Amino acid sequence: MISALEGAVELKGERAVVLATAGGVSYRVFLNPAAIRKITERGQKIDPSTPLRVKLWTHLYQREDTQELYGFLHYRELEFFETLIQIPGIGPKSGLGIMAVAPLDTLKKAIAAGDTSYLTKVSGIGRKTAEKVILELRDKMAGKGVLVEAPELKEEADALDALVTLGYTQSEAREALARVPAGVRGASERVKAALKRLGEGQR
């Protein structure tokens, strides 16, 4: 069982990175876009001629004709991913998709609150999938002390609505909001920060 990998980033794609480890072995590891953005930003802060080294906590998914590695920058993200894929009908790609947009703490709060509308709107998953996730995980999240009262859920949903009203697609709005630091609070402030991100992407 491969529980973690550490090495230099050889290649980055939209959904995966290739990590070169000791001994000349390279691994393709699937990541969510937020993790790839963080790795890219980290690489921009160092000398471009120096290979960027990262450590990824990994889950090895195996089937008869498939072996895939899924990676996470933090162990608690791996734990949540492995909890998600235990739900019938949710495979690793679906699990990664659920985690792809909303921050982990926000997802946990939405699940603990039983907020299907937040999950379908902000995370972009279907209603049936959202209901299944909440049914399976709500008690677990509440049992782990996740706060049910979470005003930031409404803030994020309101910010998403505002961006869509301004003409952006749901996907564009979710992507921009995902890049706004969690410390930026209030729907209007998050909209301003997201618009800045969207403007940067158009240059």
Side-chain angles (χ1 to χ4, degrees):
M1 174 70 70
I2 301 173
S3 58
L5 290 171
E6 186 169 359
V9 178
E10 283 189 316
L11 294 170
K12 287 196 307 288
E14 292 184 359
R15 300 188 306 122
V17 298
V18 175
L19 206 63
T21 61
V25 180
S26 296
Y27 295 89
R28 182 176 66 164
V29 187
F30 290 97
L31 303 160
N32 75 46
I36 292 177
R37 280 197 304 271
K38 287 179 182 178
I39 289 172
T40 301
E41 290 168 1
R42 191 181 301 175
Q44 290 171 346
K45 294 178 181 178
I46 65 172
D47 183 348
S49 64
T50 303
L52 175 63
R53 295 187 63 83
V54 297
K55 179 177 181 177
L56 297 173
W57 297 96
T58 58
H59 174 87
L60 177 60
Y61 176 75
Q62 297 187 83
R63 286 294 182 268
E64 292 181 3
D65 58 347
T66 303
Q67 281 195 340
E68 296 174 336
L69 276 171
Y70 291 83
F72 305 88
L73 293 172
H74 305 287
Y75 185 73
R76 65 194 189 98
E77 294 172 339
L78 170 64
E79 286 185 310
F80 186 72
F81 172 79
E82 291 182 333
T83 300
L84 272 179
I85 62 175
Q86 291 174 15
I87 299 173
I90 296 183
K93 287 186 171 61
S94 297
L96 207 62
I98 291 170
M99 297 177 66
V101 178
L104 179 58
D105 287 343
T106 305
L107 277 176
K108 286 183 175 181
K109 288 174 183 177
I111 292 168
D115 193 340
T116 56
S117 64
Y118 175 84
L119 288 176
T120 55
K121 182 180 291 185
V122 177
S123 299
I125 63 177
R127 181 180 59 82
K128 289 184 178 180
T129 301
E131 289 174 349
K132 183 182 293 186
V133 168
I134 286 175
L135 179 65
E136 295 284 342
L137 300 185
R138 185 175 185 178
D139 290 342
K140 292 181 181 179
M141 294 299 101
K144 290 183 179 179
V146 177
L147 295 175
V148 173
E149 294 297 327
E152 64 268 28
L153 299 183
K154 186 176 186 306
E155 289 176 1
E156 198 77 352
D158 288 347
L160 183 77
D161 285 341
L163 289 170
V164 171
T165 300
L166 290 172
Y168 295 99
T169 66
Q170 290 265 351
S171 177
E172 289 171 336
R174 285 195 298 267
E175 174 73 12
L177 286 169
R179 296 171 61 194
V180 175
V184 178
R185 296 297 303 273
S188 61
E189 292 302 314
R190 292 190 66 77
V191 168
K192 290 177 185 176
L195 287 171
K196 184 178 179 181
R197 298 285 187 177
L198 287 161
E200 291 170 353
Q202 293 172 357
R203 292 175 187 172

